Amino acid sequence: MSEVESLGTSTVKVDGLFAELDHLQTRFDEALRTASNAEALEQMRLTYLVRKGELAQFFKRLGELEASERPRVGERLNQLKNAFEAAFNEKSAALAKPKDEGDLIDLTLPGIRRRLGARHPLLQVVDEIKSIFVSMGFAIESGPEAELDYYNFEALNLPPDHPSRDMQDTFYLAIPGVESNKYLLRTHTSPVQIRTMEKHQPPVRIIAPGRVFRRDAPDATHSPIFHQCEGLCVDEGISFADLKGTLLTFAQKLFGPDMKIRFRPGFFPFTEPSAEYDFTCTICRGKGCRTCKNTGWIEISGAGMVHPAVYGFVNYDSERYTGYAWGMGADRLAMLKLGVEDIRMFFDNDVRFLRQF
Ligand code: DAH
């Protein structure tokens, strides 16, 4: 074969090859344009791009060409290969990306119902206690949980050597640079009495619900954190009869009209006279049961007439004013009201318990 002839034959071959490649590209482009899902793409990959695919077949045919023609054709093949792969990858990425929310979420599926939270059962009862006293004309006061010894003990007429200041009962707060035993976690809500009287002259009629702290080992009736609701009423001519009437009305509003209350002699340094008071047992309604140890009564807390010495700390005229005060265990009342037998259940925060109320 002469040089001219061989060149001519080869040129014809190369032209035919380029035409085939143009055709391949047209088919590839069209297939890619219409591929609408992953299966169609995979089919394309198998047809055009794998080692045995259509494009690879052309690389094999390079051997049929004159050596001088191979670079030109090879270059074209490499260009095509790169272009195919780039276009293919771009389309794969585009198909993998959702076009809008509708592709992600099936809007016909039913929604997921989220459980609503609810007021803690203990606080539900505290709310009820508050609204009963508010309906009787009491205002709601509060004070700090980290309290000064002065308010928790001293101004309540608790002398420095009083047993309830014992380290066994009180959590003292160690604060660097501050004398020890000055700050503590309040052991009762009674300090709010002092804080209130410091701010307001009589008449005063308040309750102070809140958290209190004692170094008690937890059991069914004890928790190192529990709740009380303090009460205080000071004015001219207030007597023990007012205290009785207030607590009886409260008991009947919270537990029902058949409730009775009783007072037993007691001692608190901040009241004189002092009493412990009981409510009719809410379980057996006074007949006698396990809860009230067959007495028909449930111990609630202490109360009394405000000690004149306390008025000295807050600049009240003890000749002119008299008043009564009481404490009450809010967790205790909540346990009775809700039929809960272990105080720790209020603090475990087990949702299986909380959901029952
Ligand atoms: N603070 C007392 C306690 O925690 C309860 C108490 C007793 C409060 C008599 C009072 C009161 O206001 O007058 O045990």
Side-chain angles (χ1 to χ4, degrees), residues 187-188 190 193 214 228 230-231 268 270-271 301-304 325-327:
T187 59
H188 52 181
S190 303
Q193 288 187 26
R214 282 189 207 172
Q228 288 187 336
E230 193 76 11
F268 297 98
F270 34 94
T271 42
S301 184
W326 77 84

Side-chain angles (χ1 to χ4, degrees), residues 270-291:
F270 34 94
T271 42
E272 180 59 36
S274 298
E276 313 242 2
Y277 67 96
D278 307 334
F279 285 178
T280 305
C281 176
T282 56
I283 310 294
C284 63
R285 310 311 281 193
K287 289 193 195 70
C289 68
R290 201 164 51 96
T291 304

Side-chain angles (χ1 to χ4, degrees), residues 322-336:
T322 52
Y324 60 83
W326 77 84
M328 54 179 49
D331 319 86
R332 195 80 207 283
L333 293 176
M335 286 166 76
L336 294 171

Side-chain angles (χ1 to χ4, degrees), residues 140-159:
I140 296 169
E141 276 288 345
S142 63
E145 292 175 349
E147 185 54 284
L148 282 160
D149 175 281
Y150 176 78
Y151 291 105
N152 195 79
F153 292 132
E154 199 177 330
L156 285 164
N157 198 31
L158 270 113

